[in-house]
Amino acid sequence: MKGILKLAYKLVVNDKSKFTALLAGITFAVFLMMFVTSMFGGVMNHSAATVINIGAPIWVMDPSVENPLNTVGIPDYVLDAVRSMQGVKYAVPLYSGSALLKLSDGAYQPAMIIGLDDTSLYGRPELIQGKIQDIYAEGGFVAVKDADFPKLGNPHIGTEFELNDHRAVVVGIAKVSTSSLFGLPTLYTTYYRCLQYIPNPRYTISYVLIVPQSASDIPRIKEQAKALGYLALTKDEFIGRTVDFYIFHSGFGMNLLIITAVSFIVGLSVSGQTFYTFILENLERFGALKAIGTTNRELVSIILFQAAFTSLTGYGLGVGLCVTLIGIAKLRMPEYAAMVTAFSVIVPFLMVVVITAISSYFGVRRVLAIEPFEIFRG
Amino acid sequence: MLRTAIHASGLVKWFGEGEAKTTALKEVSLEAFFGEMLYIVGPSGSGKTTLLSVLSGILRPNAGNVSVEGADIWTLDANQLADFRLNKLGFVFQDYHLFPRLTTAENVAIPLILRRIQWDKALNDATKYLDIVGLHGKAELPPLKLSGGEQQRVAIARAIVGQPDILIMDEPTASLDGETGRAIVGFVRENILNDHRCIVIVTHDSRIYEYADRTLEMEDGRLTAAKKVQDEN
């Protein structure tokens, strides 16, 4: 069979114009699909930045919350109630909101403010400059060094700014795994400082963060939160809810669907048509092979191998091209949103499998239908 | 004593049904022997190609049987028939049907590759057979770089590389000028035909009749005459 497959390989590769067209079609389709899914993955990752960076296993929130930026205040008694729930190891409040800063040069800059539990500082970022205990100092804030950091005027420890006429000072520089989606710099401080500095509605807790005693306690905690009228989600569920929001309640999902469909149609029409033409051009020769003594099984193997080889090569090129371009973009812009995920690799692969199956199905049908007798008849 | 290569009796083959039914073979019986070059001649539509297809295990007859070296080929299933054609027969098609993207050696090696012979050995053997048919040094060329006569020689090399007992040639000179056609068939007679091989040629090219040991004439689906060329001479 190895020799037959080598024959199949040479038949398709030596037809340089068609092979190039096949590869170009598949490569372009894979690139397009992988790029858009990578962009989608990256944006979704950034959209859930707060959830990822804080990293709490369970988040309790108002049931109407659809994503981390859309917070609805929770009354203080919920925190007490959660702390008394069975299976909860400990629970802390989290403030998440935005505020307008007045920088030292007089410019105003909106920023994302995260207020950590004063006692535990649960969810604090990793500091690259300064000491975390300085966050308790008067007006102490930790600035996150991400792509939006320069918008704060590239602050250093000791840099001062104003927040609602309150003096604030940078006491630490931190790094986080994921920067926020909408281009706002991020500052961390304590929960109670947020209440002091930022005008707030009646209920001030954005989320109650829970660490369960064990993973098996999670369902029970969720039930108890539900009985209380609130929603408890695991970290992954909250990220998933955020992704769902952007897919189903923004134009993102439809755009993703359209580009996916376009790339599929381009891939299928270019590659499928070219492959089918390749089969048609060689149809009589396949008939001659049949007359010589090639079995139907061997002919099917030849066609499937040719389709699979071209598709996988195109897939590899498409993935390589996409990864290279995203890599170059990230070198130039470290916070470039695109992110290659398993999803963005698997979806184009599945598309290629479908294109291969459809292309080879029609080719196989034609080749199996040809009668060697027709070859004799010319 | 002539040894029988092919024995066919009572072959009937029709196409279509009802009013569209056309009978291409009407009770055709024949024998072909090892060591002979048998021609099947006749006008277009007389049933030559249908007969050739039935004899070579490609087209199943509606009645009658075909024995090759004593074995009834139409009792075989599709895979066994493919195996039979691969191992016992060699085919030279009217339009050669060479793969233009393969080299001549790779084209010739196809029957060996189908027999699971290692790629390099198959190519070596193919190159030797290209030498035999007079195409020394052209193993690496694509078929389209060759003349019509040379392409026909490549097709012949492909047909004989597996050392088949029976060589089937369908209108081998149809695409060639008279001189080249005669040269090709003369070459086959001189170099390919031997006591262990039977060559069956379907043709209506009278310019090559002189090379036949025996000629069967067909008309309207029946064999109308059989004669030995020597008888005429």
Side-chain angles (χ1 to χ4, degrees):
Chain A
M1 191 57 103
K2 199 173 153 191
I4 292 174
L5 296 185
K6 188 168 181 178
L7 194 65
Y9 165 82
K10 282 182 167 272
L11 284 175
V12 70
V13 171
N14 288 359
D15 195 344
K16 288 187 174 56
S17 58
K18 286 206 178 49
F19 187 58
T20 306
L22 279 167
L23 285 188
I26 298 268
T27 301
F28 178 71
V30 168
F31 169 77
L32 199 60
M33 184 170 279
M34 187 172 171
F35 189 79
V36 76
T37 49
S38 298
M39 187 60 79
F40 177 74
V43 168
M44 289 305 102
N45 187 51
H46 285 281
S47 72
T50 306
V51 185
I52 294 167
N53 293 334
I54 299 292
I58 301 176
W59 295 61
V60 176
M61 65 198 78
D62 188 277
S64 62
V65 171
E66 291 178 305
N67 66 73
L69 298 175
N70 165 27
T71 59
V72 176
I74 301 173
D76 288 358
Y77 71 80
V78 175
L79 175 61
D80 298 330
V82 168
R83 281 174 169 158
S84 66
M85 285 177 182
Q86 287 186 328
V88 173
K89 191 173 180 183
Y90 57 87
V92 296
L94 182 79
Y95 179 92
S96 174
S98 59
L100 198 61
L101 312 180
K102 185 178 181 186
L103 304 182
S104 53
D105 62 0
Y108 285 89
Q109 170 64 46
M112 169 78 80
I113 310 291
I114 305 288
L116 302 171
D117 173 47
D118 291 59
T119 310
S120 63
L121 297 182
Y122 182 79
R124 62 185 175 275
E126 184 185 341
L127 262 61
I128 51 178
Q129 284 178 44
K131 293 187 289 243
I132 191 63
Q133 56 267 39
D134 289 341
I135 203 170
Y136 296 117
E138 190 182 343
F141 281 77
V142 170
V144 172
K145 192 166 188 177
D146 58 12
D148 301 309
F149 183 73
K151 293 175 182 170
L152 295 172
N154 286 314
H156 48 81
I157 291 175
T159 299
E160 293 187 359
F161 56 90
E162 285 179 28
L163 177 51
N164 288 329
D165 295 330
H166 293 277
R167 172 184 167 273
V169 60
V170 173
V171 295
I173 308 290
K175 65 174 184 181
V176 291
S177 60
T178 307
S179 58
S180 66
L181 175 61
F182 293 108
L184 294 184
T186 304
L187 292 164
Y188 283 76
T189 188
T190 61
Y191 176 78
Y192 280 105
R193 183 165 296 120
C194 288
L195 302 192
Q196 289 166 2
Y197 282 27
I198 303 170
N200 280 296
R202 184 175 166 206
Y203 301 133
T204 53
I205 298 175
S206 305
Y207 301 100
V208 174
L209 309 179
I210 298 176
V211 175
Q213 287 173 350
S214 70
S216 60
D217 290 315
I218 293 174
R220 190 160 44 158
I221 292 170
K222 291 170 82 165
E223 281 176 23
Q224 294 173 89
K226 190 176 178 186
L228 205 58
Y230 288 88
L231 181 66
L233 296 176
T234 63
K235 178 184 163 188
D236 290 340
E237 287 170 343
F238 195 13
I239 293 171
R241 189 178 176 87
T242 306
V243 170
D244 286 348
F245 169 77
Y246 283 102
I247 288 178
F248 299 113
H249 299 287
S250 73
F252 216 124
M254 184 53 72
N255 288 338
L256 180 76
L257 197 65
I258 289 170
I259 296 177
T260 301
V262 167
S263 54
F264 178 77
I265 290 166
V266 168
L268 184 62
S269 54
V270 174
S271 304
Q273 179 65 30
T274 310
F275 189 71
Y276 190 60
T277 309
F278 169 78
I279 295 292
L280 285 186
E281 279 185 8
N282 287 294
L283 201 56
E284 288 194 344
R285 295 178 192 104
F286 280 119
L289 284 183
K290 227 171 171 178
I292 288 171
T294 312
T295 61
N296 281 343
R297 191 171 148 267
E298 287 166 338
L299 285 173
V300 170
S301 303
I302 287 172
I303 292 168
L304 287 181
F305 177 81
Q306 289 172 331
F309 176 78
T310 48
S311 298
L312 290 178
T313 305
Y315 173 74
L317 288 173
V319 169
L321 183 65
C322 189
V323 168
T324 304
L325 287 182
I326 289 175
I328 291 170
K330 281 192 180 258
L331 279 177
R332 303 277 300 174
M333 298 174 283
E335 296 300 326
Y336 185 63
M339 185 172 79
V340 177
T341 61
F343 177 76
S344 61
V345 173
I346 290 170
V347 169
F349 180 78
L350 294 178
M351 178 190 72
V352 162
V353 169
V354 173
I355 289 174
T356 305
I358 294 174
S359 305
S360 48
Y361 169 73
F362 288 106
V364 163
R365 255 177 44 140
R366 285 305 299 259
V367 169
L368 292 186
I370 190 169
E371 287 292 337
F373 173 57
E374 302 294 331
I375 303 304
F376 274 133
R377 289 215 295 198
Chain B
M1 174 81 180
L2 292 173
R3 206 154 52 90
T4 303
I6 303 172
H7 176 86
S9 63
L11 293 178
V12 176
K13 179 67 189 176
W14 67 77
F15 299 98
E17 293 294 333
E19 287 184 4
K21 183 174 172 181
T22 309
T23 305
L25 296 180
K26 300 168 182 170
E27 293 287 340
V28 174
S29 300
L30 63 85
E31 267 191 310
F33 302 99
F34 285 107
E36 79 166 345
M37 192 179 241
L38 175 68
Y39 278 30
I40 300 170
V41 302
S44 292
S46 59
K48 306 188 297 291
T49 300
T50 304
L51 177 59
L52 195 67
S53 302
V54 171
L55 294 179
S56 55
I58 284 174
L59 189 64
R60 187 174 290 277
N62 297 106
N65 57 58
V66 177
S67 296
V68 174
E69 296 180 56
D72 186 351
I73 62 169
W74 287 114
T75 59
L76 304 176
D77 65 25
N79 284 338
Q80 288 170 326
L81 270 176
D83 199 46
F84 155 76
R85 292 197 298 268
L86 182 61
N87 291 294
K88 294 285 183 189
L89 307 184
F91 290 91
V92 177
F93 304 104
Q94 183 176 336
D95 296 326
Y96 323 139
H97 293 307
L98 302 172
F99 283 99
R101 310 293 175 188
L102 299 179
T103 64
T104 54
E106 287 165 349
N107 267 289
V108 172
I110 285 174
L112 301 179
I113 291 163
L114 293 175
R115 290 183 189 183
R116 308 290 195 269
I117 289 171
Q118 215 179 6
W119 183 269
D120 291 339
K121 182 176 179 346
L123 280 190
N124 275 339
D125 289 356
T127 306
K128 282 179 198 160
Y129 275 84
L130 282 171
D131 290 347
I132 289 171
V133 298
L135 293 175
H136 179 74
K138 300 200 171 176
E140 294 302 317
L141 291 177
L144 293 180
K145 294 269 184 188
L146 305 178
S147 67
E150 287 175 323
Q151 288 185 43
Q152 186 64 294
R153 284 169 187 265
V154 175
I156 291 168
R158 181 178 65 184
I160 62 172
V161 71
Q163 299 179 333
D165 297 338
I166 298 162
L167 185 61
I168 305 284
M169 301 179 81
D170 181 32
E171 302 282 4
T173 57
S175 309
L176 304 174
D177 61 73
E179 190 183 338
T180 310
R182 277 194 298 277
I184 290 281
V185 179
F187 172 82
V188 170
R189 171 146 198 110
E190 289 299 314
N191 299 282
I192 311 299
L193 182 63
N194 59 45
D195 291 344
H196 307 289
R197 182 170 286 153
C198 168
I199 299 177
V200 181
I201 297 179
V202 159
T203 184
H204 58 253
D205 183 356
S206 57
R207 297 169 301 186
I208 59 166
Y209 283 3
E210 62 188 281
Y211 296 101
D213 290 308
R214 199 153 56 96
T215 301
L216 304 177
E217 283 184 26
M218 282 198 83
E219 194 171 337
D220 194 24
R222 296 180 200 279
L223 285 176
T224 54
K227 55 189 169 189
K228 286 197 171 184
V229 172
Q230 291 90 330
D231 296 344
E232 288 184 339
N233 299 334

